[in-house]
Amino acid sequence: MSDAAILADEDPREFRSPFDLALDSAAGAAFLWLVLGHLLFAAGLCVLVLSNVANGAIWITPLLTLPLVWAGRGHRLVMKVAVLLIGFTVAHWAAAELAGQVNTVTHPMLPGLVGGGVGAGLSLLLVMITGLGRPGTPVAIFAVFGTALLAGIGALVVYLYMTTLAGNETFPGNWLQLLKIYTPWQIGFAYVLAKLLRPDGGMPED
């Protein structure tokens, strides 16, 4: 597929509207690369827990999208690195900083709501304003829906993390606790992001 066809959002593969919750073939390919990225991220978390690295989850954020960027390296590589690797890491950091300012005693579900919403919102906004996302109002509406969905997932998983933390202070308990936060949220994020990305889907030309 030519660069012009990708930029014009013209893809001979199956296409589904953002309002159709099923994944088209391009989005499905991107989703699989992001799931692989989550597995790399989970392995990175394991190393961080064993190494006792504080707040290290932020700095391994690029692992989530690294397979997707590698697969789509033939098109707009610099922009993908800037947004999907660096930009998403900054969004994760900002989300963690804002979530950390919430009083978890009086508002136990608010940290996850703030963190999940801010992280998703900033990341998806970067995708849309840099042209990595599909154009059109329906896509923008779906991005807002996805942000709200991920804020809700964040609220639930962080609350679950905080209420089940006791007795899990050693490996592999700490690692599994972190996966309670990151696995549901990142799989949800992978789905939303895959729906939004332009139809190259992070895949080399078929």
Side-chain angles (χ1 to χ4, degrees):
M1 189 194 311
S2 69
D3 286 0
I6 292 172
L7 291 174
D9 208 21
E10 296 172 358
D11 192 327
R13 292 174 290 187
E14 172 194 10
F15 173 77
R16 292 181 182 271
S17 163
F19 296 139
D20 184 339
L21 296 182
L23 295 173
D24 59 38
S25 58
F31 179 77
L32 291 178
W33 284 114
L34 289 165
V35 170
L36 175 59
H38 170 68
L39 295 178
L40 291 179
F41 184 90
L45 277 182
C46 180
V47 173
L48 291 176
V49 170
L50 289 171
S51 304
N52 294 315
V53 178
N55 299 319
I58 294 172
W59 311 117
I60 63 169
T61 302
L63 293 177
L64 176 63
T65 50
L66 185 61
L68 181 68
V69 171
W70 178 85
R73 63 195 179 279
H75 178 69
R76 301 189 72 187
L77 178 59
V78 173
M79 183 63 72
K80 287 176 179 177
V81 169
V83 174
L84 302 181
L85 300 184
I86 300 172
F88 283 13
T89 301
V90 173
H92 190 176
W93 172 82
E97 286 292 307
L98 291 173
Q101 296 177 21
V102 177
N103 188 324
T104 59
V105 176
T106 56
H107 304 288
M109 297 192 74
L110 192 56
L113 185 72
V114 171
V118 170
L122 288 178
S123 297
L124 298 181
L125 180 62
L126 284 172
V127 168
M128 299 305 296
I129 66 176
T130 56
L132 292 179
R134 300 184 192 231
T137 301
V139 179
I141 293 172
F142 185 80
V144 173
F145 162 77
T147 300
L149 172 67
L150 290 162
I153 293 175
L156 290 172
V157 296
V158 172
Y159 178 76
L160 177 64
Y161 171 82
M162 292 189 302
T163 55
T164 60
L165 190 58
N168 291 286
E169 290 81 10
T170 59
F171 184 85
N174 274 332
W175 180 57
L176 294 175
Q177 284 294 107
L178 289 172
L179 290 182
K180 288 181 183 178
I181 297 177
Y182 286 108
T183 295
W185 193 91
Q186 288 187 351
I187 296 301
F189 180 73
Y191 166 78
V192 174
L193 180 60
K195 290 280 290 179
L196 294 182
L197 287 172
R198 278 187 178 270
D200 68 339
M203 289 289 291
E205 183 177 351
D206 292 337

